[in-house]
Amino acid sequence: MSGHTDMVLVDDDGIRIDGRKADEHRRVHIEAGVLNNADGSAYVEMGKNKVLAAVYGPRECHPRHLQDPTKAIIQCKYNMEAFSVSDRKRPGPDRRSVEISKITAEALEKVVLTELYPRASIDVYIEILQANAGTRCAGLTAASVALADAGIPMRDIIPAIAAGKADGHVLLDLNKEEDNYGQADVPLAIIPSTDEIVLLQMDGDMTREEFDHAVDLAFGACHELYDIQKEALKKRYSAVKGGDEDE
Ligand code: UDP
């Protein structure tokens, strides 16, 4: 998020480098139940982002000192593969992945009925196979579909998308160039049935009006993503019911 580049990110007609208008998100594709050996799973593409989420549990919580006698805990691991970005990412956890894992688990705790499973752990693994900005949102979107696919009782599923500012324009769903050279990035995740915000971050600078506009754009897009998440789960459910499952 440097805010400086010679590259024109938005042209005179308001068109972005990937051909989108300011209020358009990238193509989204969601598939539920893509892994045989996890309790639940999902694959999400948001533009060039490719993300896999796998869920295990509820199962006995290890290490045991993390157990909560009143509810299950959600343990989340967000991991960016070494090959997911053009400059090889050093494998293993770093400050960024620890932060994203924490905020993802905190968002998911708002919808999972953890009180039904005292002392248990629900483990969520998010693997970023290919990154192009917006991976924390794609990861959270995938994780909530994977939790539903695992049959874990939830109040709702969570869609997430970012909006931000580049070349002085408020834009929905920044791509990597817009994220790197833009002025601000605002990831948002909501509970669609109540419009409660479960994740809101901001990197960079915007005026209050620009921030409100960015949040409005992201809210609208979250509702669109929500429909795509539900469609993916319905498709998965009819495949299981029809006996089309891999196993
Ligand atoms: N990125 C990268 N190497 C890193 C971290 C990030 O190339 O070690 C790129 C990647 O494309 C990522 C983007 O920078 O999607 C924006 O990263 P940010 O921290 O803003 O998180 P995100 O937008 O992916 O949630």
Side-chain angles (χ1 to χ4, degrees), residues 61-200:
C61 177
H62 288 290
R64 297 188 82 167
H65 69 86
L66 291 179
Q67 286 184 358
D68 183 331
T70 64
K71 59 182 172 75
I73 62 162
I74 297 182
Q75 303 196 76
C76 181
K77 275 210 182 93
Y78 164 103
N79 178 48
M80 211 170 205
E81 300 294 345
F83 52 80
S84 65
V85 286
S86 38
D87 291 331
R88 176 180 177 274
K89 149 98 177 50
R90 197 160 169 254
D94 52 21
R95 277 177 58 158
R96 177 177 172 278
S97 65
V98 170
E99 175 219 321
I100 296 177
S101 301
K102 179 173 183 288
I103 56 160
T104 303
E106 285 171 359
L108 294 171
E109 272 162 18
K110 295 280 194 291
V111 289
V112 174
L113 301 180
T114 51
E115 60 276 18
L116 297 179
Y117 304 103
R119 298 186 192 281
S121 174
I122 297 169
D123 302 327
V124 179
Y125 296 89
I126 296 170
E127 297 292 333
I128 308 301
L129 307 177
Q130 190 170 284
N132 195 260
T135 59
R136 73 195 60 206
C137 293
L140 179 50
T141 300
S144 58
V145 173
L147 282 163
D149 180 50
I152 293 174
M154 295 160 81
R155 291 180 184 87
D156 204 348
I157 45 176
I158 297 177
I161 198 159
K165 182 180 168 189
D167 261 1
H169 296 259
V170 175
L171 304 174
L172 178 64
D173 189 23
L174 303 188
N175 62 31
K176 181 149 189 294
E177 290 75 15
E178 293 163 346
D179 182 296
N180 281 12
Y181 304 118
Q183 293 92 51
D185 185 26
V186 181
L188 174 90
I190 63 167
I191 301 176
S193 53
T194 58
D195 275 348
E196 188 186 337
I197 293 173
V198 289
L199 166 69
L200 178 63

